[in-house]
Amino acid sequence: MRTTPGSPDQGAPGHVLDERSWYAANDVLAFLLELAALACLGWWGAAVGDVTALRLLLGAGTPLVALVLWSLFAAPRARLRPRLPLVLAVKALVLGGGAAALYGVGHPVAAVVMAVAVVANTAVAEVFRRRPTASPTG
């Protein structure tokens, strides 16, 4: 396919816009996965145990602990700025815990789908993070 002088190609600003769109879409997916992990952790906590008080405690406490860990170490505006390995460990604990919780409530296929989505999303985010930003001149 031939390109005309005004058509976007690999070096044109239109390509950068497309890349930013993918980056934004990946960020939205990351946020949705975070919310899903918290919901799954709460679901698991509410389903565990025979005592109602324990179910309430785990149903509210498990996602609350995950939320505190996330906000301290893994959120974009985290209070603490640890090195990347610790950030990834917290993400693995919270997001992986969400997938494990989904498995724990009896949905193994959904748990695998969530785990694959988490790994793919995190890998894409790391690729975007490591890429040098494109200059507006190409």
Side-chain angles (χ1 to χ4, degrees):
M1 181 173 162
R2 292 178 20 184
T3 58
T4 59
S7 67
D9 61 3
Q10 292 292 354
H15 176 69
V16 173
L17 180 61
D18 290 343
E19 189 173 297
R20 287 182 186 156
S21 297
W22 281 108
Y23 180 80
N26 196 60
D27 270 356
V28 169
L29 177 60
F31 181 68
L32 294 175
L33 287 169
E34 294 158 17
L35 292 178
L38 292 174
C40 290
L41 289 168
W43 184 11
W44 171 83
V48 172
D50 295 330
V51 181
T52 302
L54 179 63
R55 294 171 91 146
L56 289 172
L57 181 66
L58 289 174
T62 305
L64 183 62
V65 168
L67 187 61
V68 168
L69 281 173
W70 193 272
S71 66
L72 286 175
F73 301 109
R77 294 182 183 159
R79 295 230 184 247
L80 306 173
R81 293 288 180 186
R83 294 185 185 262
L84 183 61
L86 181 59
V87 172
L88 292 177
V90 169
K91 286 184 175 189
L93 181 67
V94 173
L95 298 173
L102 198 52
Y103 183 84
V105 294
H107 295 280
V109 174
V112 169
V113 169
M114 183 173 179
V116 168
V118 164
V119 169
N121 177 262
T122 303
V124 169
E126 280 305 300
V127 167
F128 279 129
R129 188 184 70 77
R130 293 174 187 258
R131 272 186 97 155
T133 55
S135 66
T137 58

